[in-house]
Amino acid sequence: MASETSDDRSFEVPAGKKEVGDWKARLRDDPADDATRQELVGHYRRLGHRDQAGRYAVGLTEGASADELRAYIVMLWSLNADEATARRFSALADERELPASVRESIGTRALPDELREEGWGWVVGIAWAVLVVAGFVTLVVVFGRTMAGSPDARRVGVWWTSLTGWILVGALTLTALWSATAVSWKAASIWTAVAVVAAAVVLLGGIGLNR
């Protein structure tokens, strides 16, 4: 039944500027007015303004969705808002706390794990696990060929080392993207730089060893 109500509301005509302004004024005067807050949240959800929907939804018992919280947090970062400013911005009642994820993000300037895009953590973990396995296989193959005096030990060693190197580059790149999903641009930039350097080393090293 709840989903049917939501679908019906999606076809409502968005409120005008004056009506939205009146809602905001009422909420500033009475932050505990959940009915007015719900009107604002519903209005911005219908418009697809996730940041504004999250801004007011944090004051409701049901709270904001993960997408709304992400958009709201990014908006707070753009305003360089501290916790007190965020409370005023969302017109929170005294007894209402900001969500823990919002408070954490304000301090760390990065999204907490529960707000990151789903799936990236597993992908990154698998990439690094593959790297460990590839490194071990490379060690075994190269050591075994060398100890056996195989004439193609060098060629095989170069191939496996290059493969492991490119897997490393892939793992570093995925880690950079994972950092980006947390909107942690400093970490993403560092991982990206390391990935570029690693790619250059693997590429140039492979060219040099194959001469």
Side-chain angles (χ1 to χ4, degrees), residues 79-95:
L79 298 173
N80 200 29
D82 56 15
E83 189 172 333
T85 302
R87 290 185 60 83
R88 290 195 300 273
F89 192 57
S90 295
L92 289 184
D94 291 340
E95 65 275 10

Side-chain angles (χ1 to χ4, degrees), residues 1-9:
M1 184 63 68
S3 61
E4 292 177 2
T5 302
S6 176
D7 290 342
D8 292 341
R9 289 175 66 89

Side-chain angles (χ1 to χ4, degrees), residues 20 22 55 61 89 108 134 151 156 185:
V20 173
D22 290 342
R55 169 186 178 182
T61 301
F89 192 57
T108 63
V156 172
W185 302 119

Side-chain angles (χ1 to χ4, degrees), residues 13 29 37 40 52 55 57 75 92 103 111 121 125-126 142 146 152 163 181 187 192 195 203 209:
V13 176
D29 292 338
R37 186 181 295 276
L40 274 169
Q52 293 294 334
R55 169 186 178 182
M75 180 171 61
L92 289 184
R103 297 198 304 271
L111 290 178
I126 291 172
V142 173
T146 302
D152 63 350
L163 175 62
T181 65
T192 300
L203 179 62
L209 289 174

Side-chain angles (χ1 to χ4, degrees), residues 127-128 130-131 134 162-175 191 194-195 198-199 202:
W128 284 101
V130 170
L131 174 64
S162 296
L163 175 62
T164 303
W166 286 117
I167 293 175
L168 171 62
V169 173
L172 290 168
T173 302
L174 288 172
T175 304
W191 283 110
V194 174
V202 173

Side-chain angles (χ1 to χ4, degrees), residues 12-62:
E12 293 180 10
V13 176
K17 289 184 178 181
K18 183 179 184 306
E19 190 173 6
V20 173
D22 290 342
W23 288 336
K24 290 181 178 180
R26 287 208 302 270
L27 197 59
R28 283 195 298 270
D29 292 338
D30 183 10
D33 183 355
D34 284 351
T36 296
R37 186 181 295 276
Q38 188 65 66
E39 291 288 357
L40 274 169
V41 172
H43 168 71
Y44 285 120
R45 281 175 176 168
R46 287 190 292 275
L47 292 178
H49 296 175
R50 294 176 179 175
D51 52 354
Q52 293 294 334
R55 169 186 178 182
Y56 293 105
V58 294
L60 295 173
T61 301
E62 61 270 26

